[in-house]
Amino acid sequence: MNYTTKNAHRLSVAPMMDWTDRHCRVFHRKLSRRAELYTEMVTAPAVVHGDRDRLLGYEAQEHPVVLQLGGSDPAQLAEAAKIGADYSYDAINLNCGCPSDRVQSGSFGAVLMEKADLVADCVAAMIAAQPRPVTVKCRIGVDDQIAEEVLPAFLEKVAAAGVRHFVIHARNAWLQGLSPKENREIPPLNYELAYAMKRAFPHLELCLNGGVAGLEAVPAHLEAGLDGVMIGRAAYHDPAKVLLGADSRLWGAQDPVATAQEAALAMRPYIADHLAKGGRLHHITRHMLGLFTGQPGARSWRRMLSEAGGRRDAGLADYDAALAQMSGVPAG
């Protein structure tokens, strides 16, 4: 699917540090061919100076996949964006929403909501350096900023620099006093402000993030005028609830699998290839523990994969044994 295809952004899985690695994205792709997948945030200095294949490598089947960068230096972000484009990512996203202390110390993430002029300089440099779309993930404001004033000014300034797609986490971020987890839960959600921004900026592609727990909640936000919804923790902990059936429901396309069991079987060749290359079973199955949430046998599935994950010699036999706990799934 071309990234610029109409309705391309209807559903995406959020970038999550230490979670949405390449194995997680391959797994999610077995459940949906259409949902946009994001990398975990990678800092611009790491991309420029680090092991690029380790940081940026991915499987061709992951497309459409978006690289999320963290940073606040326009020249460095431009170089990192160019490198990302060379790796054929479908778009490059700038993180303006993460509230963690580690990110703040680098003067990027949610703190950039206070620096719209700098963000505009950053995205302009990123756009000029390479051909991929540059997008922004942001908050509605930080601390005691008045979101109804801050967000439209931020969108206007950054859009003037060339950005057309924004993902809006519909909460203020508190830079002091709340943990990243608390920042995802305590500040009140303001979906109405996100809807109002789409009315005010109809030429922009605006997607909503924050508090959406499953696929069934997505259509209401689309009907309110937004271009899409990004889901994070729910997509990771209960992936079938978010991604299974998404292609048919949101795009009118054929779903790659009809059940969670089929998704688990579809992962088997990928797991076998990873093991043959010297990888460990746990590298992949740690992302799959929630696949059967709510189904009979789900507890045994989680327990058996978790126990196998502690062994270096765990292999397909362990995976098949766990899968056999699920009703109607043959081993092997």
Side-chain angles (χ1 to χ4, degrees), residues 89-175:
Y89 279 94
D90 294 283
I92 314 295
N93 181 266
L94 179 62
N95 183 324
C96 296
C98 181
S100 76
D101 292 341
R102 180 173 54 171
V103 169
Q104 288 182 54
S105 66
S107 298
F108 56 95
V111 71
L112 291 175
M113 294 300 299
E114 299 177 317
K115 303 175 181 180
D117 288 336
L118 175 57
V119 174
D121 290 342
C122 289
V123 298
M126 294 165 71
I127 290 168
Q130 50 81 47
R132 304 295 180 181
V134 172
T135 71
V136 168
K137 187 174 187 292
C138 65
R139 292 283 184 139
I140 59 175
V142 295
D143 296 335
D144 55 1
Q145 285 182 329
I146 299 173
E148 290 78 6
E149 297 175 0
V150 170
L151 184 58
F154 180 88
L155 293 178
E156 183 173 16
K157 176 74 69 173
V158 179
V163 173
R164 290 293 174 268
H165 178 206
F166 294 82
V167 179
I168 301 170
H169 187 149
R171 289 184 171 96
N172 273 46
W174 288 90
L175 301 180

Side-chain angles (χ1 to χ4, degrees), residues 6 10 15 26 31 42 44 81 103-104 108 111 125 143 147 157 190 203 216 218 227 249 287-288 320:
K6 182 176 173 60
R10 285 192 164 186
V26 168
L31 292 159
V42 186
V103 169
Q104 288 182 54
F108 56 95
V111 71
D143 296 335
K157 176 74 69 173
N190 190 345
H203 60 292
E216 72 283 350
V218 173
D227 296 286
R249 185 164 184 178
H287 302 298
M288 302 177 64
D320 290 339

